[in-house]
Amino acid sequence: MGVDSQNPHGAWSRRRFIASGLLPAIFLPALSSGAPRFPARPRSRAAAPGGGRSRPSTGEVAAPLTAPVFINGQGPYRFLVDTGAQRSVLAAELAARLHLPHGPPVLVEGIIRAQRAQEVHIKRLATGPLVWSDLRAPTLPRAELRADGYLGLDVLNGHRVVFDFRAHRVMIEKPQGFLAALWAGRNAIRVEAHGDAGQLRFTRCYVDGARTTAFIDSGADVSVCNSALFAALRHIRSPPTTLEPVKLSGVTGGTVLGAVTVIDTIRIPGLTFTRTPVVIADLRVFDLWGLSAEPALLIGMNCLRAFSRVSIDYGRKDMLFRIPTARNPPVALAQTDSGLA
């Protein structure tokens, strides 16, 4: 998380947020007769020095997961996987180094604002066993992307994305077959999703009792809710506690002011997150997903990292969450008792 020394609240980038000790706990589904409860360990929040990074109280910083990508036979280059982005994006410096032919200028939609960018033509993009041909991608400065590029829904749709937090890697694969999908294995939860064109969402999500549409955005290290959800929560319970105002920034520039609150429960069929820090902000991404007028939640990597492995199957329209084993516990979780609260 970049911290602006001129801003007393700091500038929390959606792409580079580190949740300084504000990690969710989770209730996991019953693997036998009960459901183990995972409350968060008490954590203190320490201020980050100006111009540095805010770190979890363990002193560890979660580095982003990247996929090896080959462009026109050259590479590998390190690309982030962004399940909230409609299009893949390439670092302008890499495009220039590869002498990629230019196309017309295009408008890149960011979480806060749109920005005009130069489009380039990629003859062949490959990662793992998968290959895409004749791909057109806009370019943005590498300093903003902090990677060689992003893979968006234009290449992810129809495939399976696997975030392996234990091995610290992300893979893009073919969707699972019928028999493979039937067997999730031990310590795993399969959740059905809905949507088209790669825009998979949970329609049976309840945030502190409020019916909410939720989607996973792997380009966001922090979870974000819109003001429609916050208004719904105020009707259900006493006003949620807001911790502090923050600024969010995106790769296309611009900032938006938000505020941190802690959600008691986020319930999705099969699992429940508890005590989850969420930023309240009306980001442009909610408009792009058609969710600005209804309660909506963007689930970021601060939630996904509670698991050892998360896969999103755009072919089958489902997601698989693998529970960490006792030998590989997530840093913010500690098992206590069983049974759902």
Side-chain angles (χ1 to χ4, degrees):
M1 174 179 67
V3 177
D4 182 357
S5 60
Q6 302 303 314
N7 170 26
H9 305 306
W12 294 7
S13 167
R14 168 183 176 267
R15 309 284 179 183
R16 302 188 295 272
F17 180 91
I18 303 298
S20 309
L22 295 178
L23 297 178
I26 54 174
F27 283 106
L28 300 174
L31 300 179
S32 54
S33 59
R37 179 179 179 180
F38 293 79
R41 291 177 184 151
R43 288 172 169 267
S44 60
R45 183 182 178 89
R53 285 176 175 260
S54 182
R55 306 169 67 92
S57 60
T58 56
E60 298 178 3
V61 172
L65 305 186
T66 58
V69 171
F70 291 83
I71 297 177
N72 296 346
Q74 299 187 55
Y77 304 108
R78 310 310 300 179
F79 274 59
L80 296 171
V81 173
D82 191 345
T83 61
Q86 297 298 314
R87 298 188 63 183
S88 300
V89 179
L90 192 67
E93 294 85 348
L94 177 59
R97 188 162 69 248
L98 296 176
H99 304 289
L100 300 180
H102 288 183
V106 294
L107 200 63
V108 180
E109 293 284 359
I111 63 161
I112 297 170
R113 69 181 187 185
Q115 177 178 315
R116 293 183 69 82
Q118 179 66 60
E119 188 180 69
V120 295
H121 177 239
I122 301 172
K123 289 184 178 179
R124 187 178 189 272
L125 183 148
T127 181
L130 302 178
V131 176
W132 293 265
S133 300
D134 294 322
L135 183 68
R136 297 187 180 275
T139 61
L140 290 173
R142 197 186 192 286
E144 296 295 333
L145 298 177
R146 300 261 177 134
D148 294 318
Y150 282 85
L151 298 179
L153 294 177
D154 54 341
V155 300
L156 302 180
N157 190 27
H159 297 94
R160 182 171 178 252
V161 181
V162 180
F163 298 94
D164 191 331
F165 295 106
R166 185 174 184 179
H168 198 75
R169 62 179 179 173
V170 57
M171 300 161 286
I172 304 174
E173 306 171 344
K174 293 181 179 180
Q176 282 192 318
F178 176 74
L179 292 179
L182 283 179
W183 175 245
R186 296 186 60 188
N187 301 329
I189 315 116
R190 190 176 297 278
V191 181
E192 182 181 0
H194 304 274
D196 298 307
Q199 292 187 338
L200 299 185
R201 58 193 74 191
F202 303 114
T203 57
R204 295 171 57 199
C205 175
Y206 290 86
V207 177
D208 285 349
R211 183 72 176 261
T212 303
T213 299
F215 62 96
I216 288 179
D217 186 348
S218 62
D221 275 329
V222 61
S223 300
V224 181
C225 76
N226 62 3
S227 59
L229 175 54
F230 187 64
L233 294 178
R234 297 184 67 177
H235 284 289
I236 293 175
R237 63 176 197 180
S238 59
T241 302
T242 54
L243 301 183
E244 62 180 279
V246 295
K247 283 185 178 179
L248 298 179
S249 62
V251 296
T252 57
T255 59
V256 63
L257 186 64
V260 178
T261 189
V262 176
I263 301 297
D264 287 336
T265 60
I266 299 173
R267 296 183 182 273
I268 298 170
L271 62 94
T272 298
F273 296 92
T274 68
R275 304 297 299 165
T276 305
V278 171
V279 175
I280 308 160
D282 286 319
L283 303 179
R284 189 176 178 86
V285 67
F286 291 118
D287 294 327
L288 298 177
W289 283 60
L291 297 172
S292 59
E294 61 181 272
L297 174 67
L298 177 160
I299 298 176
M301 294 292 274
N302 63 323
C303 286
L304 300 190
R305 288 182 184 277
F307 301 91
S308 61
R309 186 180 173 106
V310 174
S311 66
I312 304 174
D313 197 323
Y314 290 97
R316 296 191 55 84
K317 294 186 179 182
D318 65 16
M319 303 183 192
L320 189 68
F321 300 85
R322 190 163 301 280
I323 304 166
T325 63
R327 296 180 61 183
N328 182 41
V331 352
L333 306 181
Q335 184 171 357
T336 55
D337 53 9
S338 61
L340 286 173

